[in-house]
Amino acid sequence: MTQEQTIPLFEEVVNGWNKLSLSGGVKKESSDLRRARQSAFDKFRELGFPSIRNEEWKYTNLARFLKDEFTIEGWEVPGKTVVPDAALVKKAGITLLDCYQIVLVNGSWDGTIGGGTLPKGIQLLKVAEARQDPALSVYFEKQAAWGDQHFANLNAALFTDGLFIRVDAGVTVEKPIHVIHVYTSESNLLVQPRNVWVVNRNAELSVVESVVSGGTAKIWVNGLTEILVHQDARLHHTMIQTAGAGVRLVQQTTVHQHRQSLYNNFTITLPGADLVRNDLQARLEEEHTESHLYGLYLAAGHQLVDNHTLVDHQKPNCLSNELYKGVLLEQSTGVFNGKVYVHKDAQKTNAFQQNNNLVISKKATIDSKPQLEIFADDVKCSHGSTVGQFSEEALFYLRARGIGEESAKSLLINAFAFDVTEKIRIPEVEAHVNELISLHIPVNHA
Amino acid sequence: MLTIKNLHAEVEEKQILKGINLTVNAGEVHAIMGPNGSGKSSLASVLAGRENYRVTQGEVIFKGENLLDMSPEVRAREGVFLAFQYPIEIPGVSNINFLKTALSEIRAHKNLPPLDAKEFLRMSREKQKLVEFDAQLVNRSLNEGFSGGEKKRNEIFQLAMLEPALSILDETDSGLDIDALRIVSKGVNKLRSENNAFIIITHYQRLLEYIVPDFVHVLYDGRIVKSGTKELALELEEKGYDWLKEESREKATTI
């Protein structure tokens, strides 16, 4: 049986492709970009949506999420924006954080920036415009990089909007950019934001992304973010996912790192969205790069949270450090798959990975899979994975001081998360994340 | 304040306490001594509500209420404090935040409003001084990386902050050097009053030179086999526990 017969979204995607060829501003795009879209679409059509027979999706069964019908929105009026719900934007706001704030609604930005005028040397553009700009088109044409990745190909074929950021060489942007992604709809929707961020030589930027949702419908977000961190550049990237019920969030982030660059990533997932699948890929393409990947996932309800990471050590003398911590509540399911690939050339690689899980409820599960593939012989690599429960001793100690069982558990969850949250470089963001953790620990854990 | 009657308890189906009787009144300090494995720490655990202990017989009345019916946190809020023999390290929970949470839950239980930040800070400073506890340790993660002595001093600092009616010190002197022992004892002596009571569990007489008890009890094989005043502790120091073991065995056979 083909997917056309079983998955309504597959049919909608094919229809969408036909519509896109006629409108959506694609005609104004470069011929290379149009070719890239075509081959991405052909690839997706060949691959279809992933099933559990696919190794990368073994523990994440999409069947129950793909039953619903979704409509693709975007190309009738490319770049069209919905006015964001003020309450949602407020919810995503970070108390006391001095930042530039921009809001994307269903992947589109209206061009307004809160928090002051941007300094010289940084450009923010709508992707709806950037993709038609001959000078920027090159950033959207790299289809070959998506390989056999189902959702990345789907996005590469059909994307219409998103956020383009470029920082000029030598520029340090002092204030972080807070990007609030609002997803809201009254009818089921497939949204495919495409973001491209370029941090040029010796430039520095901090981006904090918050994902929130509203409305009553189901929304499938298939996000694709491509990041280029050039020589000596530094990018600090935090993603806080607090989308609510009905949202299926598939986010692929691919980072290309050049010589002596630094990339810090914090991926924080909180209870809410039905499905979260993060694919974070750090490609260390030149020597002496440094990458730190920190993750914290708190899953509850029937949520499925899957973090797939890839650290691709292509060249010698690079350092990668990865720490993912998970707290599984209620009937939630967590998946962690951390692949570290050290190429034959990548001698003197230092690659460290750790995944720790706290399973609070008897009905919650976690599949943790470290995956090291090392082809160089002079490297330092380590990995570890643990699954545990509350320490009874610690719980008793807190209770013996008058702290109720629920508060004690809440304190211990915060403490467990602390190894990750303390690394967040911006104190206001750290406080915000800690608050979210406390807020989302349900009263009844069982 | 506390009445223990014929208390029997087991852990992992092994009988540990075999009929303890003890009455502690406000203003009193009771020392409980005894050889290893006699049930001293088990008694402390049962009183604090450690869940792997099962009470099979007897009762414990604390301030007129059945203590054994209460959860560990309710016992603490009612005024029972156990200074742990091995305080737990909890990385990521700050000492001060932990105390703030504990104090506000205890106050809420007594229908008192939480202390505001300023009052709390003032109280914390005052108590730090009282028990000679290093201010830098207050802001660190709970017991993380503390030396053995620092952990024990932190227990006494917590005791000072939470102002319990009944404090049970479980081998607080073990692992302390003479200076730390002196500081801990000084703290306890300052906290003693006619309204509170202490049960001091110790293996050695040494601690009792600093904290002078009103009563000394010897625990052996799950029972209190001898009670007396502070002189009993000295006698034990001199003669060891063997003579009591003999005595207790004789008693057991004659009954």
Side-chain angles (χ1 to χ4, degrees):
Chain A
M1 204 156 51
T2 67
Q3 289 200 334
E4 279 162 89
Q5 289 161 300
T6 55
I7 299 175
L9 184 57
F10 191 87
E11 200 182 328
E12 173 65 11
V13 163
V14 176
N15 292 337
W17 172 253
N18 295 332
K19 275 194 250 170
L20 180 72
S21 319
L22 301 170
S23 63
V26 171
K27 288 202 181 78
K28 289 184 200 155
E29 293 175 357
S30 73
S31 54
D32 279 351
L33 178 50
R34 277 183 288 167
R35 262 197 299 280
R37 283 185 187 275
Q38 180 70 53
S39 60
F41 181 71
D42 292 343
K43 192 75 199 177
F44 175 75
R45 205 166 181 169
E46 176 200 325
L47 295 167
F49 287 98
S51 77
I52 51 168
R53 285 189 297 275
N54 185 299
E55 189 60 32
E56 298 297 320
W57 294 85
K58 198 173 167 182
Y59 303 105
T60 300
N61 191 343
L62 295 180
R64 69 180 156 115
F65 305 110
L66 284 166
K67 275 190 201 141
D68 300 299
E69 299 200 7
F70 295 89
T71 313
I72 305 178
E73 191 202 56
W75 34 74
E76 287 81 4
V77 193
K80 140 189 131 165
T81 50
V82 188
V83 176
D85 181 340
L88 277 176
V89 174
K90 196 165 173 247
K91 190 184 150 200
I94 298 172
T95 315
L96 299 174
L97 180 66
D98 187 15
C99 61
Y100 305 108
Q101 181 180 294
I102 73 166
V103 180
L104 273 70
V105 181
N106 296 341
S108 293
W109 173 42
D110 67 1
T112 56
I113 300 169
T117 324
L118 283 179
K120 276 206 176 78
I122 175 166
Q123 297 103 47
L124 264 57
L125 287 172
K126 302 173 194 184
V127 161
E129 289 164 10
R131 66 188 165 93
Q132 295 175 354
D133 184 334
L136 303 177
S137 181
V138 63
Y139 292 119
F140 301 94
E141 290 163 4
K142 291 187 180 159
Q143 186 272 327
W146 308 129
D148 282 345
Q149 299 167 72
H150 309 248
F151 286 97
N153 278 299
L154 180 58
N155 181 299
L158 291 176
F159 76 95
T160 55
D161 213 347
L163 178 67
F164 179 87
I165 304 176
R166 186 165 61 179
V167 187
D168 293 343
V171 172
T172 295
V173 183
E174 300 283 350
K175 291 205 281 185
I177 297 180
H178 186 202
V179 182
I180 298 173
H181 301 275
V182 176
Y183 296 104
T184 178
S185 180
E186 296 310 318
S187 62
N188 291 4
L189 199 66
L190 169 69
V191 193
Q192 303 203 79
R194 173 70 167 272
N195 307 302
V196 172
W197 305 343
V198 183
V199 187
N200 279 305
R201 275 181 85 150
N202 196 28
E204 182 162 5
L205 178 68
S206 291
V207 179
V208 180
E209 293 184 274
S210 296
V211 182
V212 290
S213 68
T216 51
K218 296 187 166 71
I219 304 179
W220 193 297
V221 181
N222 176 27
L224 180 57
T225 301
E226 200 173 20
I227 295 171
L228 279 80
V229 190
H230 283 283
Q231 187 173 332
D232 298 314
R234 296 160 305 279
L235 175 64
H236 316 289
H237 181 193
T238 305
M239 165 81 95
I240 303 166
Q241 298 168 326
T242 56
V247 173
R248 289 95 205 252
L249 182 63
V250 177
Q251 172 63 42
Q252 176 162 315
T253 306
T254 298
V255 187
H256 304 273
Q257 281 191 253
H258 291 175
R259 205 179 167 78
Q260 292 175 56
S261 63
L262 169 69
Y263 176 70
N264 287 319
N265 180 288
F266 297 89
T267 300
I268 316 288
T269 308
L270 292 146
D274 302 340
L275 164 74
V276 176
R277 160 73 175 228
N278 292 310
D279 271 280
L280 174 61
Q281 309 187 335
R283 300 194 180 271
L284 318 183
E285 296 171 352
E286 293 183 4
E287 287 192 52
H288 298 288
T289 64
E290 194 177 319
S291 324
H292 298 272
L293 312 182
Y294 293 102
L296 177 68
Y297 45 96
L298 222 75
H302 287 89
Q303 209 180 15
L304 198 171
V305 176
D306 176 353
N307 278 287
H308 264 63
T309 63
L310 165 67
V311 181
D312 187 24
H313 279 269
Q314 299 178 8
K315 290 284 154 52
N317 299 308
C318 294
L319 164 75
S320 70
N321 175 36
E322 181 174 10
L323 174 64
Y324 268 68
K325 298 196 102 174
V327 180
L328 289 308
L329 306 154
E330 298 168 343
Q331 279 122 291
S332 65
T333 305
V335 179
F336 173 79
N337 190 114
K339 190 192 274 190
V340 176
Y341 196 102
V342 182
H343 293 246
K344 205 172 161 217
D345 281 352
Q347 299 295 0
K348 307 278 180 199
T349 286
N350 282 317
F352 308 108
Q353 183 192 84
Q354 186 71 39
N355 173 230
N356 304 116
N357 297 283
L358 192 56
V359 180
I360 308 287
S361 138
K362 286 194 174 84
K363 288 174 182 159
T365 55
I366 173 77
D367 293 295
S368 173
K369 185 179 167 198
Q371 196 182 346
L372 270 64
E373 295 183 31
I374 301 166
F375 298 95
D377 51 22
D378 184 13
V379 300
K380 261 188 222 151
C381 296
S382 70
H383 68 89
S385 167
T386 64
V387 177
Q389 283 147 353
F390 278 126
S391 149
E392 289 297 328
E393 276 299 299
L395 209 52
F396 178 67
Y397 190 68
L398 298 174
R399 292 176 71 191
R401 294 294 175 261
I403 299 173
E405 196 172 352
E406 293 310 319
S407 316
K409 285 180 175 172
S410 167
L411 271 174
L412 290 177
I413 290 174
N414 269 295
F416 177 78
F418 177 74
D419 294 339
V420 170
T421 54
E422 69 158 349
K423 302 288 191 323
I424 298 176
R425 296 160 48 97
I426 309 167
E428 293 83 358
V429 177
E430 184 187 341
H432 178 72
V433 169
N434 279 326
E435 205 172 296
L436 287 173
I437 296 168
S438 302
L439 201 73
H440 277 90
I441 296 169
V443 175
N444 185 4
H445 300 272
Chain B
M1 180 183 291
L2 180 79
T3 313
I4 302 174
K5 280 187 200 152
N6 194 29
L7 182 65
H8 288 66
E10 60 178 34
V11 64
E12 287 158 6
E13 289 176 24
K14 195 176 167 239
Q15 200 70 32
I16 304 283
L17 301 183
K18 301 173 181 172
I20 303 255
N21 292 293
L22 180 67
T23 302
V24 178
N25 297 309
E28 294 176 351
V29 173
H30 291 246
I32 295 185
M33 301 183 71
N36 283 329
S38 57
K40 301 189 301 289
S41 287
S42 296
L43 176 61
S45 292
V46 169
L47 294 178
R50 206 182 268 277
E51 272 163 359
N52 50 342
Y53 285 84
R54 207 166 69 86
V55 173
T56 51
Q57 222 183 307
E59 61 174 10
V60 180
I61 307 297
F62 177 65
K63 295 198 295 190
E65 308 257 348
N66 183 353
L67 186 75
L68 300 176
D69 278 352
M70 301 174 196
S71 66
E73 55 267 39
V74 172
R75 295 180 195 201
R77 292 169 194 164
E78 286 285 333
V80 176
F81 182 98
L82 171 65
F84 282 60
Q85 186 178 1
Y86 304 107
I88 313 297
E89 295 193 16
I90 310 183
V93 172
S94 87
N95 219 344
I96 200 77
N97 219 354
F98 155 71
L99 271 174
K100 211 181 276 172
T101 310
L103 193 61
S104 63
E105 293 210 20
I106 290 170
R107 288 180 66 92
H109 184 77
K110 295 177 178 163
N111 289 319
L112 295 169
L115 290 180
D116 66 34
K118 216 169 137 189
E119 279 174 279
F120 178 80
L121 200 68
R122 189 193 51 76
M123 180 178 175
S124 164
R125 288 217 182 103
E126 181 195 310
K127 303 291 185 183
Q128 280 164 47
K129 221 164 127 189
L130 189 73
V131 300
E132 298 179 47
F133 190 66
D134 189 343
Q136 283 185 333
L137 295 176
V138 173
N139 293 311
R140 293 231 316 249
S141 275
L142 185 50
N143 292 328
E144 192 190 15
F146 285 24
S147 70
E150 286 169 340
K151 282 180 187 166
K152 295 294 174 76
R153 280 157 68 180
N154 196 12
E155 295 292 289
I156 305 302
F157 171 57
Q158 291 171 25
L159 196 162
M161 287 295 286
L162 304 180
E163 300 176 325
L166 174 68
S167 303
I168 305 158
L169 274 55
D170 187 7
E171 302 208 14
T172 296
D173 51 337
S174 69
L176 287 189
D177 61 32
I178 199 77
D179 286 335
L181 187 70
R182 198 181 41 79
I183 291 170
V184 162
S185 309
K186 235 168 94 186
V188 170
N189 285 330
K190 283 181 195 159
L191 296 168
R192 279 174 83 161
S193 81
E194 59 193 21
N195 300 317
N196 61 23
F198 287 80
I199 294 176
I200 293 170
I201 292 171
T202 180
H203 199 72
Y204 303 103
Q205 193 265 338
R206 198 177 61 159
L207 178 66
L208 306 180
E209 286 173 14
Y210 296 93
I211 307 171
V212 180
D214 299 301
F215 301 96
V216 175
H217 311 276
V218 182
L219 199 62
Y220 176 66
D221 194 23
R223 288 185 198 94
I224 290 176
V225 295
K226 200 165 183 70
S227 296
T229 52
K230 61 183 178 189
E231 284 75 24
L232 177 59
L234 291 169
E235 198 178 347
L236 287 167
E237 183 77 357
E238 219 171 279
K239 307 209 278 198
Y241 290 109
D242 287 348
W243 63 284
L244 278 171
K245 289 182 193 171
E246 289 299 321
E247 214 168 79
S248 134
R249 260 196 289 275
E250 272 164 34
K251 229 186 259 172
T253 43
T254 50
I255 294 166

